[in-house]
């Protein structure tokens, strides 16, 4: 398994520099078979609370729906076609925003390659390190998945009284 990165910087609005990071996992055929067998592609690699982004996507979708529905109704002289066209445009806009800006990263995102927009070069470096760490954990999960068939025996030794008490308090 290899993690590929490609970095870009472009000039954005008002001469501000935008940083873009593209990442993709390259896997062998055996690793892909393991991913498919356990449906790892649907697994969350990096979880994040995207609820604020969801609200923004819904607001954008609603706004686009209203404008597009009025425009389509006017152009097509049909209320139903205007509603359907507006709904399609609103859903499409909301989905686009949610997919482009979400911080939750699925394994399938990196299997197909995904672009990330970063506000600074520091954020880009953090995103690279974050992805590399998460892919390292994923790699170890895949290695352990090779041995999921069968039974493993783990002996749990009793601890001295004070250590046992500390362990119990940490777990609570």
């Amino acid at each position: 398994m290899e993690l590929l990165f490609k970095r870009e910087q472009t000039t954005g609005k008002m001469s501000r520099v935008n940083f873009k990071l593209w990442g993709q996992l390259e896997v062998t055929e055996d690793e892909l078979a393991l991913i498919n067998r356990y449906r790892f592609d649907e697994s969350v690699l990096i979880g994040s609370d995207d609820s604020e982004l969801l609200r923004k996507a819904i607001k954008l979708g609603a706004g686009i729906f209203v404008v597009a529905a009025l425009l389509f109704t006017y152009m097509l002289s049909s209320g139903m076609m205007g509603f359907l066209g507006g709904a399609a445009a609103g859903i499409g806009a909301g989905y686009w925003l949610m997919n482009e800006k979400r911080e939750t990263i699925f394994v399938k995102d990196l299997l197909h390659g995904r672009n990330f927009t970063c506000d600074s070069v520091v954020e880009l470096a953090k995103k690279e390190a974050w992805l590399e760490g998460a892919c390292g954990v994923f790699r170890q999960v895949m290695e352990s998945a090779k041995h999921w068939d069968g039974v493993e025996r783990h002996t749990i030794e009793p601890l001295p009284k004070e250590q046992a008490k500390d362990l119990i308090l940490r777990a609570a």
Side-chain angles (χ1 to χ4, degrees):
M1 176 182 300
E2 291 188 12
L3 179 58
L4 306 176
F5 286 129
K6 184 169 102 178
R7 298 166 205 88
E8 291 180 27
Q9 78 181 45
T10 58
T11 304
K13 298 174 184 169
M14 296 184 279
S15 298
R16 183 178 171 172
V17 177
N18 293 325
F19 298 94
K20 293 184 180 180
L21 175 67
W22 174 82
Q24 182 178 16
L25 273 177
E26 280 191 347
V27 295
T28 65
E29 286 184 28
D30 292 342
E31 291 167 337
L32 187 58
L34 209 56
I35 289 169
N36 291 334
R37 179 178 181 189
Y38 294 109
R39 294 188 207 118
F40 283 138
D41 58 330
E42 296 295 326
S43 299
V44 173
L45 187 63
I46 297 174
S48 181
D49 179 15
D50 290 330
S51 57
E52 184 61 34
L53 178 61
L54 179 60
R55 282 191 279 282
K56 286 181 183 177
I58 289 171
K59 287 178 185 177
L60 174 70
I64 297 290
F65 163 73
V66 170
V67 171
L70 291 172
L71 187 63
F72 284 133
T73 300
Y74 174 75
M75 287 173 45
L76 302 174
S77 300
S78 170
M80 187 58 163
M81 290 305 290
F83 176 81
L84 293 175
I91 290 170
Y95 176 80
W96 172 82
L97 180 66
M98 190 70 192
N99 196 48
E100 282 295 309
K101 300 292 184 182
R102 68 181 158 80
E103 289 292 322
T104 299
I105 301 168
F106 295 91
V107 171
K108 67 181 171 188
D109 291 334
L110 290 180
L111 288 175
H112 301 295
R114 175 153 176 215
N115 288 304
F116 303 93
T117 303
C118 304
D119 291 332
S120 69
V121 73
V122 173
E123 185 182 336
L124 186 136
K126 285 181 181 179
K127 183 77 75 175
E128 278 185 15
W130 198 30
L131 288 167
E132 198 167 341
C135 289
V137 170
F138 177 60
R139 173 73 175 145
Q140 299 315 311
V141 169
M142 287 196 36
E143 282 300 309
S144 70
K146 292 178 182 178
H147 310 289
W148 282 352
D149 294 335
V151 176
E152 257 183 54
R153 183 178 305 272
H154 295 263
T155 304
I156 310 298
E157 298 291 333
L159 296 172
K161 183 179 178 180
E162 287 303 313
Q163 285 181 343
K165 187 177 176 182
D166 288 344
L167 179 66
I168 292 167
L169 289 175
R170 278 193 315 239

